[in-house]
Amino acid sequence: MDKKKVMVVDDEKDFLQLTKAALEDTGEYEVLTLSEAKEIIQKLHEFKPAVILLDVRMPNLNGLEACRLLNKDAVGKNTPVIFVSILEDDANKLDAFRAGAVDYLPKSASKDQLIHKIEKALENK
């Protein structure tokens, strides 16, 4: 069975490592991590992820801007984006959905919650 490809974009190296390990340990996911969103379109075309996990606040190009870029891209507009952020207020969630996200999850979410959101996004793709 082919592994589901997940791209994780976040400027926090610890979060990238923990998320990659948690997903890959299931044996069901192949994970590509990016510490900056500026490479997101290039890596999207190379890696072809089934879903993207994206942080809101990052230097240079933030997650909302990156999500808008994805929605203008032929491949990106068909790739579900789930925001994973420490920002849990309704205004930030609304901004994420307006930018094109399919879901929003706090960084404090469990591995099981994260996997559930990924699977839900893939089912609805």
Side-chain angles (χ1 to χ4, degrees), residues 74-117:
V75 176
K77 68 181 177 185
N78 295 313
T79 306
V81 173
I82 300 171
F83 276 97
V84 184
S85 179
I86 60 168
L87 304 172
E88 297 185 45
D89 59 281
D90 289 341
N92 278 295
K93 290 178 185 176
L94 186 58
D95 286 344
F97 287 115
R98 284 183 176 147
V102 298
D103 217 328
Y104 196 101
L105 198 62
K107 280 195 175 174
S108 59
S110 70
K111 173 183 166 181
D112 289 341
Q113 289 172 311
L114 178 63
I115 289 171
H116 173 75
K117 294 287 188 178

Side-chain angles (χ1 to χ4, degrees), residues 22-109:
L23 292 175
E24 288 185 344
D25 284 350
T26 67
E28 295 184 30
Y29 302 97
E30 179 182 344
V31 179
L32 172 72
T33 60
L34 296 178
S35 58
E36 287 198 42
K38 66 182 181 182
E39 303 173 46
I40 200 164
I41 298 297
Q42 176 193 340
K43 296 298 183 184
L44 169 81
H45 288 270
E46 292 172 7
F47 185 64
K48 297 183 178 41
V51 66
I52 298 172
L53 304 179
L54 187 57
D55 188 16
V56 174
R57 289 197 334 204
M58 291 182 287
N60 303 318
L61 183 67
N62 73 40
L64 298 173
E65 294 164 335
C67 191
R68 289 183 192 105
L69 285 176
L70 288 167
N71 285 319
K72 292 177 184 174
D73 183 86
V75 176
K77 68 181 177 185
N78 295 313
T79 306
V81 173
I82 300 171
F83 276 97
V84 184
S85 179
I86 60 168
L87 304 172
E88 297 185 45
D89 59 281
D90 289 341
N92 278 295
K93 290 178 185 176
L94 186 58
D95 286 344
F97 287 115
R98 284 183 176 147
V102 298
D103 217 328
Y104 196 101
L105 198 62
K107 280 195 175 174
S108 59

